[in-house]
Amino acid sequence: MKPMSANYNQHSKFQNNMAAKGIPFLKAALETTNFKNNTDKTPYVIADYGSATGTNSYQPVHTIVTHLHQFQPERDVLVTHVDLPNTDWTKLFTSISKDKYVLPDDAQDKVFTSVVGRSFYEQVLPRESVDFGISTSAVHWMSKLPCKLSNTIFITRTIVTKEEREIFTKQAKSDWARFLSLREKELKKGGKLFIVLPIVSEEDVNGEESDLAQTVDKFLFDEVEAGNLTAEERGELTMPLYMRTIKELETDVPESLTIETRSAPFRLGPEQIQQLLVGQKLDVEGTEEEKKKKMKEVMTRAITNIWFAVVEEYYKSKLIGSGRTEDYTSKFIQKFKNELSSRLAQLQEINNGKGAAFGAIVFKKKD
């Protein structure tokens, strides 16, 4: 796992959209939860595993709280956000204070917020204390880097060796089993766990290519060749990410957890990704060529911003951890941003591969 950058909220349209795609499955899980005849007066506890700086949590929390308050309008709710100790908690509390999970006024005063600064690969809450767990765009981050990749920093590329992919797969299997085992301990009997995350289809388990991945890798290898980065440091920048298949999500489930519902993979195609990256309808005057150029400029800037919102803190920790100074690290990352944006802009057309696939799954702890 690793912390997100301070501007993650500003550049997390992908993750927010991912959460939105899973909301129908969350609503289905809520419909089969007994709120109407529940006389429990204790606070309803929602645990948010892998909160980052908050915005990915808004839709799930909003959905759960508004549903609960239809039946128990006087019941208090405690939302506990869980992420690493060096998460920007100030950013999270500022966002929540401003937006209040986009809840109606009569529900806002019933919702209280707390945080736990700890990896979700550890037990983070007391046994049988959680009514509803949520995790959006988080569990594909691994507990640790399984190994440094030799030809790339992305396990998702086709040039990963068979041995390296097997090492990643083994670690991912262990992480998933541990994650579910810990959540099983924390859930109350009858409690539920909603997870939405990026996945990979069975036909793409051996990787696929995109211009972003190829451009990032090319820059890093160029820096090694120029003597600005060591081969060891490049390897340390391997991303500790693993996209599971739906089948992998259904394995290593503790005996006391049942799968209540699951989605088929839902995919954002290249055009939908473009709309998300741009985030607005561009009103550009000029020829078709001029409009196309403007769109690519906006796309390039958006891709760069989103990428570094996700990875900047990870890169900083790795480079400083290898002995680099803060000054070197700051200048290297700024150069990286400039080069990524420039190199993407030089492409005739930006290829996002097949798009991005997501999946949702809901577990219930047996009564």
Side-chain angles (χ1 to χ4, degrees):
M1 291 180 65
K2 51 119 202 99
M4 298 296 177
S5 70
N7 63 348
Y8 178 77
N9 280 359
Q10 183 182 352
H11 301 294
S12 55
K13 294 184 181 71
F14 268 128
Q15 294 84 347
N16 293 338
N17 189 274
M18 188 191 305
K21 291 283 187 181
I23 292 300
F25 301 94
L26 175 58
K27 288 182 176 179
L30 290 167
E31 290 294 337
T32 59
T33 303
N34 182 17
F35 291 118
K36 187 174 182 179
N37 300 315
N38 193 326
T39 58
D40 192 346
K41 302 296 184 183
T42 61
Y44 191 83
V45 177
I46 301 171
D48 175 22
Y49 301 104
S51 63
T53 47
T55 54
N56 298 343
S57 314
Y58 286 0
Q59 292 182 79
V61 171
H62 172 89
T63 301
I64 296 170
V65 173
T66 52
H67 189 89
L68 169 69
H69 276 250
Q70 292 179 35
F71 304 100
Q72 296 175 284
E74 298 304 314
R75 191 172 180 184
D76 289 338
V77 176
L78 175 63
V79 182
T80 300
H81 298 281
V82 178
D83 217 311
L84 296 175
N86 50 348
T87 295
D88 189 344
W89 298 115
T90 300
K91 188 77 172 181
L92 181 141
F93 280 117
T94 301
S95 299
I96 292 172
S97 177
K98 178 183 177 182
D99 298 319
K100 301 184 187 301
Y101 305 110
V102 201
L103 291 168
D105 292 343
D106 60 344
Q108 289 179 11
D109 292 341
K110 297 293 181 182
V111 179
F112 302 86
T113 302
S114 67
V115 299
V116 174
R118 190 180 295 176
S119 166
F120 54 56
Y121 290 113
E122 305 171 47
Q123 185 171 342
V124 295
L125 290 165
R127 287 176 176 269
E128 299 192 354
S129 64
V130 176
D131 291 284
F132 216 113
I134 61 173
S135 182
T136 61
S137 187
V139 193
H140 59 302
W141 287 99
M142 308 177 82
S143 63
K144 62 181 181 180
L145 181 62
C147 68
K148 291 175 283 190
L149 301 178
S150 54
N151 302 317
T152 175
I153 65 167
F154 301 95
I155 190 63
T156 51
R157 290 197 64 188
T158 57
I159 57 177
V160 173
T161 69
K162 179 181 177 182
E163 293 75 15
E164 290 168 344
R165 197 175 299 282
E166 287 174 350
I167 293 171
F168 262 72
T169 300
K170 182 179 179 181
Q171 179 65 50
K173 179 178 174 63
S174 174
D175 282 350
W176 182 242
R178 180 165 180 76
F179 179 83
L180 292 183
S181 175
L182 291 166
R183 305 297 78 85
E184 184 274 334
K185 290 179 182 178
E186 295 164 352
L187 282 173
K188 294 178 181 178
K189 292 179 180 178
K192 297 186 180 182
L193 175 64
F194 163 76
I195 303 171
V196 58
L197 73 173
I199 61 171
V200 65
S201 60
E202 293 288 349
E203 61 266 27
D204 292 325
V205 292
N206 291 318
E208 62 172 320
E209 297 297 330
S210 72
D211 284 336
L212 172 62
Q214 292 176 355
T215 304
V216 167
D217 277 333
K218 181 66 166 61
F219 169 78
L220 293 175
F221 276 105
D222 286 349
E223 289 297 288
V224 171
E225 186 175 346
N228 300 325
L229 192 71
T230 68
E232 181 73 13
E233 287 171 331
R234 186 216 60 82
E236 286 290 343
L237 295 182
T238 297
M239 301 304 299
L241 294 169
Y242 184 87
M243 313 306 181
R244 296 173 176 86
T245 63
I246 289 290
K247 184 177 180 180
E248 285 176 300
L249 297 181
E250 297 172 347
T251 61
D252 299 304
V253 179
E255 187 177 343
S256 64
L257 290 184
T258 59
I259 299 174
E260 185 169 271
T261 186
R262 68 180 69 74
S263 73
F266 39 87
R267 183 178 288 278
L268 295 178
E271 290 185 4
Q272 292 171 296
I273 289 177
Q274 177 173 297
Q275 292 170 3
L276 278 174
L277 289 171
V278 173
Q280 59 184 353
K281 183 177 180 180
L282 289 181
D283 186 14
V284 182
E285 296 182 356
T287 65
E288 285 303 312
E289 188 62 29
E290 289 170 336
K291 291 179 181 179
K292 186 176 180 180
K293 180 180 178 181
K294 178 62 176 177
M295 176 63 76
K296 191 166 77 168
E297 288 175 358
V298 175
M299 282 273 290
T300 297
R301 185 165 59 250
I303 290 172
T304 302
N305 288 337
I306 290 171
W307 176 243
F308 278 93
V310 171
V311 305
E312 185 168 347
E313 293 303 316
Y314 179 70
Y315 284 166
K316 284 181 180 178
S317 68
K318 288 294 184 180
L319 290 172
I320 292 174
S322 72
R324 295 290 187 175
T325 65
E326 290 190 11
D327 182 61
Y328 168 89
T329 300
S330 177
K331 289 178 179 178
F332 178 85
I333 289 176
Q334 188 56 54
K335 179 182 180 181
F336 198 168
K337 289 179 181 178
N338 294 340
E339 281 291 317
L340 179 60
S341 182
S342 174
R343 294 184 186 203
L344 288 174
Q346 292 171 24
L347 298 175
Q348 189 70 26
E349 186 174 344
I350 298 175
N351 169 31
N352 291 311
K354 295 181 181 178
F358 309 124
I361 190 164
V362 178
F363 297 95
K364 178 183 177 181
K365 187 171 180 177
K366 295 177 183 177
D367 295 310

